[in-house]
Amino acid sequence: MRAEALKGHLDGILLAVLEQGPCHGYAIMEALRERSGGQVDLPTGTVYPALHRLERAGLVKANWSTAGGRRRRVYELTRAGWRALDSERGAWREFSAAVTALLQPAPLAVSPS
Amino acid sequence: MIRSEMNEQGAPAADAEAAVECYLAAVTAQLAGSARLQTGIAAELRSGLLDAVDAHQSAGLPRAAAARAAILEFGDPAAVASGFRPEIAARMARRVSVAILVTGPLVGALWLATAAASRLAPDVRLAGLPLVAAAVGMTAWSAAAAIAATGRPTRWLPIRPRLAPTAAAVAGFSAVTADALGLVLLSVQASVSPAHLAVALAAAGAAASLARILLARRAACHCLAIRATLA
């Protein structure tokens, strides 16, 4: 699944990964791959600007922390981030239910003869 | 093709770090913004890249090949840089707008005190002040728009990345106009009725406006330059 296919949903997906707890950029990318069964294959470098955008919107906050001798920028959901995740989920459920219904094969019309 | 590269052996581990640094340099070379901002972005990407190198190495690759795999995984430096560009533009626009909104009342207070302590010539009072008020209004409005376009409203509204640097540049040039008008009015007052001018306050106001003209003009030009880097 490429970036274009995820367009418009990346923010919600990143928030959903952070629901599990604070995470740094590379771990977020690994979680995306793992949770999508390898279907999501974005260039890792493009996830960082998306995280910065979420930070600017106040949906996540970031702090530098050091572990294993390496400094990493760790992201976590803010209260507004939790709310945004809830509403993304609701919107996705509605959207996917509607598209699923629309893509169902239509029952064959039986013409009376 | 990547697989065959991965099986190569032999390059020393230092090559891995050099390759990572080379990639980071390729990204930051395509970024505008302050050196501090670029260093922060590079530091974050570096830790991610080194994590990726470690992960590939744990999966069995030699370190140099692991670095190549990590770099491929991070993607084209141009794409990464272009992802960061709107963020850099937003930060710049926000910083400039906040600075303009904070300094405005300080400079304005000096001019108001000058006006209160002087007896203004009718031309200055009737023709000049409405012009200054219009420029100040434009400055405040566009700075506030730039701040709004880079903050919380981005949660709900699809805001085009060029909007914030544009609004910040307008705020900067409007501030230059407001300050320049202040200086023009001062010179009119000084030539028409110099006896009724509070000289010390006027000098302080003029100095503050001159400084603000120089800084706001430079900031506005930076915003326009950053705006030009956005698609």
Side-chain angles (χ1 to χ4, degrees):
Chain A
M1 212 181 295
R2 308 292 303 173
E4 304 83 64
L6 288 175
K7 208 167 187 225
H9 304 296
L10 183 59
D11 289 5
I13 291 170
L14 292 174
L15 295 175
V17 170
L18 289 170
E19 187 184 27
Q20 312 290 321
C23 221
H24 57 85
Y26 189 67
I28 291 171
M29 196 59 222
E30 281 194 317
L32 282 184
R33 276 198 208 101
E34 202 172 298
R35 286 174 61 172
S36 70
Q39 290 289 304
V40 167
D41 187 22
L42 297 172
T44 305
T46 59
V47 167
Y48 292 89
L51 288 167
H52 283 223
R53 194 179 65 244
L54 292 177
E55 185 187 5
R56 182 157 59 77
L59 300 178
V60 303
K61 59 182 176 186
N63 286 302
W64 285 98
S65 81
T66 306
R70 192 167 290 161
R71 273 183 89 227
R72 297 183 181 87
R73 202 150 185 262
V74 176
Y75 295 87
E76 65 180 305
L77 290 183
T78 61
R79 198 172 293 184
W82 283 101
R83 282 198 300 270
L85 175 58
D86 271 350
S87 85
E88 286 275 343
R89 277 210 173 106
W92 173 256
R93 280 195 197 109
E94 278 175 26
F95 174 77
S96 66
V99 174
T100 305
L102 287 168
L103 290 179
Q104 288 282 351
L108 288 176
V110 181
S111 56
S113 57
Chain B
M1 194 189 105
I2 301 163
R3 287 282 150 201
S4 70
E5 275 181 31
M6 284 178 179
N7 291 333
E8 284 173 21
Q9 300 281 331
D15 278 4
E17 272 64 33
V20 164
E21 291 308 318
C22 188
Y23 178 86
L24 293 174
V27 174
T28 50
Q30 300 180 57
L31 292 179
S34 67
R36 195 166 141 254
L37 194 60
Q38 289 186 15
T39 312
I41 289 173
E44 184 177 13
L45 290 177
R46 182 181 295 111
S47 70
L49 270 164
L50 293 176
D51 282 340
V53 175
D54 290 350
H56 286 291
Q57 201 177 8
S58 307
L61 288 182
R63 188 134 180 104
R68 281 198 295 275
I71 284 167
L72 276 172
E73 189 188 320
F74 263 62
D76 182 12
V80 178
S82 83
F84 273 113
R85 251 176 243 136
E87 291 313 300
I88 290 175
R91 268 183 213 216
M92 172 88 180
R94 201 175 173 79
R95 217 180 51 204
V96 166
S97 302
V98 168
I100 285 172
L101 280 186
V102 169
T103 54
L106 299 177
V107 179
L110 282 173
W111 284 121
L112 283 177
T114 309
S118 314
R119 194 187 305 154
L120 294 185
D123 281 353
V124 171
R125 209 173 52 233
L126 298 175
L129 293 186
L131 285 177
V132 174
V136 167
M138 186 68 181
T139 307
W141 189 87
S142 32
I147 290 171
T150 53
R152 290 183 177 193
T154 56
R155 287 180 201 168
W156 309 287
L157 300 171
I159 294 171
R160 293 170 62 87
R162 296 181 88 161
L163 178 65
T166 308
V170 171
F173 288 125
S174 304
V176 169
T177 309
D179 283 301
L181 279 170
L183 294 175
V184 169
L185 293 186
L186 172 65
S187 62
V188 171
Q189 172 78 23
S191 61
V192 173
S193 70
H196 298 117
L197 180 64
V199 176
L201 278 170
S209 273
L210 267 177
R212 195 158 175 264
I213 284 173
L214 294 175
L215 294 175
R217 192 188 154 276
R218 211 178 65 173
C221 290
H222 274 167
C223 286
L224 284 185
I226 279 194
R227 177 182 181 274
T229 66
L230 299 174

